[in-house]
Amino acid sequence: MAVISNKLAEHYTWGNHCDGWHLVKSESLSVIQERVPSGCSESRHFHTKAEQFFFILSGIVTMELEGKTFRVKPNEGIHIPAGSRHQLSNQHEIDLVFTVTSTPPSHADRIEI
């Protein structure tokens, strides 16, 4: 075991200038830190097996979940059950930074809508 930070973690980019860091990447668990610039979003999707928990570190996330809109602030989180259609966006002027925990890992289990 080792102490991990986003400076040491595997980095990737997605969307329009969004960043992700794999803090934990195993067969049964994924913990990622992501940064989403102002005005950026992901596409609406769902996961057939993975459930997720988004925990906001800074900024405010707008999460559309099964037709309802939630605004989640720093030190708050939102649980996304498996099969739930959702879309994350940053509709505010500062970067959004959060962790997303998925079990099992969600990358191979993503269905775009």
Side-chain angles (χ1 to χ4, degrees), residues 3-109:
V3 173
I4 190 71
S5 74
N6 64 2
K7 298 200 183 341
L8 301 173
E10 175 187 341
H11 175 260
Y12 64 94
T13 59
W14 61 275
N16 282 339
H17 311 293
C18 298
D19 291 293
W21 296 268
H22 288 281
L23 303 176
V24 176
K25 189 177 182 183
S26 74
E27 289 184 24
S28 59
L29 178 66
S30 169
V31 180
I32 296 171
Q33 181 177 331
E34 291 192 329
R35 183 191 65 81
V36 178
S38 176
C40 292
S41 65
E42 65 178 351
S43 59
R44 194 162 192 265
H45 65 282
F46 68 96
H47 306 279
T48 58
K49 296 178 184 172
E51 62 180 301
Q52 298 182 302
F53 182 73
F54 291 80
F55 188 78
I56 309 310
L57 301 173
S58 62
I60 299 172
V61 68
T62 300
M63 181 71 76
E64 184 276 322
L65 173 61
E66 291 293 339
K68 294 182 182 177
T69 301
F70 299 88
R71 285 181 179 68
V72 188
K73 300 173 186 171
N75 296 311
E76 296 179 342
I78 187 166
H79 176 235
I80 310 295
S84 298
R85 283 129 177 89
H86 60 284
Q87 181 177 15
L88 172 149
S89 64
N90 180 1
Q91 300 176 7
H92 300 275
E93 293 187 18
I94 64 170
D95 284 356
L96 168 64
V97 180
F98 60 91
T99 60
V100 57
T101 302
S102 304
T103 184
S106 62
H107 283 95
D109 180 35

